Amino acid sequence: MAAVAGGGSGSAAGAAPQQQAAAQQAAGGRQARLRESWYLALLGLAEHFRTSSPPKVRLCVHCLQAVLPRKPPARMEARTHLQLGSVLYHHTRNGDQARGHLEKAVSGGIPQFEDVKFEAASLLSELYCQENSVDAAKPLLRKAIQISQQTPYWHCRLLFQLAQLHTLEKDLVSACDLLGVGAEYARVVGSEYTRALFLLSKGMLLLMERKLQEVHPLLTLCGQIVENWQGNPIQKESLRVFFLVLQVTHYLDAGQVKSVKPCLKQLQQCIQTISTLHDDEILPSNPADLFHWLPKEHMCVLVYLVTVMHSMQAGYLEKAQKYTDKALMQLEKLKMLDCSPILSSFQVILLEHIIMCRLVTGHKATALQEISQVCQLCQQSPRLFSNHAAQLHTLLGLYCISVNCMDNAEAQFTTALRLTTHQELWAFIVTNLASVYIREGNRHQEVCLYSLLERINPDHNFPVSSHCLRAAAFYIRGLFSFFQGRYNEAKRFLRETLKMSNAEDLNRLTACSLVLLGHIFYVLGNHRESNNMVVPAMQLASKIPDMSVQLWSSALLRDLNKACGNAMDAHEAAQMHQNFSQQLLQDHIEACSLPEHNLITWTDGPPPVQFQAQNGPTTSLASLL
C-alpha cells in the first residue's frame, strides 16, 4: 500500500508542472484567439470604411495601421501592408507611403508562393509605372513571374501585365514573346480559354506590327480553339468577339470594305447574343480561367466603333453618324462610373472618324469643335496625346483644306508626318499633302510633289497593303495628270481607281473619280460621256452625302446642260449649285469665326489650352464643349 501510495504521491507531484504548462498553453491560446479577434475586428472595420459610399479612407487607414504595432503573424502583417498600400494608391496621393507598404508586402517573411506577394508585386509595378519608373517595374514582374509557376492565376496575370508594359513601351517583340510563353503555360495547365486570350492578344500585336504572314495561321488556330472550347457562355462569346474584332480590323486596315461585311455581321450578332446573357456567378474550376477580356459594356462600344470605321471607309456617312451617337452616349454613361483609360481611347477614335464625316458632309464648324474636344481629352492624358498627336494634326490638315488654308494644311500634314511611324497613316497623310500641292500649282512645290508621287506610286512598290489607299493613290495621280492637261493618262489612272473602288464598295472614291472623269470628258467636248459620268456621281454624292462632290457635280451639270441647250435642266442645276454654295459658304464663315480656328497655326508641343477669338475676348476651350 505504501509503495502504491508513494507512487500515487509521486504522480501528483509530477502533475503540477504538466497542469501549469497546460494552463499556460490554454492562456496562450486564449491570447492568440484574442489577438486574432482584434485583427479580424480591425480588418473588418477597415473594410467597412473602405466600402462606404463615399469611402472613409482616413478611418480605413487608421484601422489598418492599428494592426501593425500588435506584431501580427507574418502572413497577416504582409496582408495588412498590401491593404494599406492598395488603399493609399487608389484613394490618396501618398505615393511614397503606398510604395513603402507594398515593398514591405513583397519582401515580408512569408513563403515565396503566397498570393499576397504576387498581388503586392502586381500593384507595386503599376505604381512604379505611374511614377515613370518602368525600369523598376520590369524586374519586379519578372521575379514574380519566375516564382509564381505553381499559382496559375497569378502566373498568367503577371505575364499579361509585363506584356502590356512592353506594349506601352512599343517593344512589341518582347510583348509577343511573353504572350507566346503565356499561351504555352495555359495549354500545359489545361486552360484552353486563357490560351486563346494569350494567342488573340499576340495576334493583335502582330497586326499592329503588320506581320501578316504570322497573323493568318495564328488567327486560324484561335478560331479553332474558340469554336472547340466548351465553357461559360459569356466567356465563349467574349472570345468570339475578340477574334472577330481582330478579323474585322484586319480587313479594314487592308481597305477591304466589301470583303469584311460577313465578319462584321457575325460580330454584330455576337454582341447581341452577349447582351442577352446573364453573368454566371459560378467560378471556373480552373484558376487559370479567371480572366475576362473586356466587360460587356466595353465590348458593345468597341463593336459600335468598328462599325463606324467600316461605315466611314465605305462612305455610308449617315450610318457612321448614327452609330457614333449611340457609342458616345454609352461612353458618357460608362465614364460616370468607370475611369478606365480605354474608354478615353475609344472616345478619341470615334471623334476622329466623325470629324472626317463632318468635313465631307459640309459641317466644318462642328468638326472644328470636335477637334478641340479631342485636344481637351489629349490634355488630360500624355499617353493619349502621344498615341494620337499625328492623327490630330492630320485632322487639322483636312480641316485646313476644307476652308482653303493651304499653307496651314501643308504645315499640319508635315507635322503629322514627323510624328507618325504608322505606315497606313503615313500613306494617308502623303496622299492628302500631294492633293494640297496639286491644287496650289506652286512651282516651288513641284520638287516636293514629284517626290511624294514617287513614294506613293500605285503601279510599283506601293508602301502599304491597303486596297483603299492604293485606289486613292491612283486617284491622286489622275488628279495631277488632269491639272497638267494629260487627259488620256488621267483617264487611265481614274479608271483604275473606279475598278478598285467598285470592287470594295468605296463609294466616296467612286463618286470623286466619276465627277473628275466627267470633267475631263467635258473639257474634251464629249458631252454625252461627261453626262454619263456626272449624273451617277451626283446620285452617289447625294447618298453619301458629300457636299464638295455635289457642288462640283452641280456646276458641271449646269455647264453641260447649257452647252447642250437644255435651259430648264441648266437652270435647275444652277439652282442646286447656288444652294450648295450658300450652305458651304455659311458653314465656312461660321467655322473661321470660331476661336478654335486658331488651332490651324499649332504645329508644335502639346495641344494649346486657350484660343484667342478673332473678334472677341479669350475663350477657354472648356467653355466651348
Side-chain angles (χ1 to χ4, degrees), residues 88-301:
L88 291 166
Y89 172 62
H90 288 116
H91 297 285
T92 74
R93 295 181 182 178
N94 296 328
D96 290 343
Q97 286 185 39
R99 188 184 336 106
H101 284 294
L102 292 170
E103 285 171 347
K104 285 176 184 174
V106 170
S107 60
I110 55 172
Q112 60 180 14
F113 301 118
E114 287 281 345
D115 285 4
V116 170
K117 254 189 197 314
F118 305 137
E119 189 175 345
S122 174
L123 200 55
L124 183 57
S125 71
E126 275 186 39
L127 193 149
Y128 283 152
C129 290
Q130 197 177 72
E131 296 174 340
N132 294 318
S133 302
V134 177
D135 290 338
K138 284 190 284 192
L140 174 65
L141 286 171
R142 285 194 201 101
K143 185 178 178 183
I145 287 166
Q146 193 176 0
I147 63 173
S148 64
Q149 292 189 31
Q150 305 305 314
T151 315
Y153 168 75
W154 278 108
H155 190 65
C156 291
R157 179 166 165 174
L158 293 163
L159 280 166
F160 275 126
Q161 192 170 348
L162 185 55
Q164 184 180 30
L165 185 53
H166 282 299
T167 302
L168 292 173
E169 287 195 303
K170 304 197 186 308
D171 181 3
L172 301 187
V173 173
S174 298
C176 281
D177 288 344
L178 283 163
L179 293 168
V181 168
E184 179 57 22
Y185 176 83
R187 187 191 66 78
V188 170
V189 298
S191 174
E192 286 296 282
Y193 168 75
T194 301
R195 181 189 177 203
L197 279 181
F198 274 114
L199 290 173
L200 288 165
S201 301
K202 184 177 178 180
M204 181 172 64
L205 298 189
L206 290 172
L207 281 174
M208 289 167 64
E209 284 190 285
R210 299 294 179 266
K211 292 188 175 178
L212 302 183
Q213 289 183 337
E214 294 178 49
V215 167
H216 294 304
L218 186 67
L219 286 183
T220 302
L221 174 61
C222 288
Q224 292 168 354
I225 294 172
V226 171
E227 289 310 310
N228 293 334
W229 186 72
Q230 300 300 320
N232 182 308
I234 285 187
Q235 285 184 307
K236 185 177 178 73
E237 291 303 313
S238 72
L239 283 180
R240 191 175 278 128
V241 169
F242 196 171
F243 172 69
L244 288 168
V245 163
L246 292 186
Q247 283 204 313
V248 169
T249 50
H250 181 30
Y251 276 117
L252 291 178
D253 276 351
Q256 295 175 327
V257 175
K258 188 176 182 180
S259 306
V260 78
K261 284 182 179 179
C263 282
L264 183 59
K265 191 173 181 181
Q266 283 182 54
L267 177 59
Q268 290 163 343
Q269 289 169 343
C270 197
I271 202 68
Q272 285 178 353
T273 302
I274 283 187
S275 63
T276 63
L277 294 171
H278 296 288
D279 290 323
D280 198 341
E281 296 293 332
I282 301 169
L283 291 175
S285 56
N286 190 335
D289 285 345
L290 288 166
F291 292 97
H292 286 291
W293 173 50
L294 281 177
K296 275 197 296 188
E297 297 78 13
H298 292 198
M299 280 191 268
C300 287
V301 175

Side-chain angles (χ1 to χ4, degrees), residues 15-32:
Q18 289 177 8
Q19 288 171 350
Q20 191 176 0
Q24 286 175 347
Q25 190 175 1
R30 280 195 300 274
Q31 286 178 353

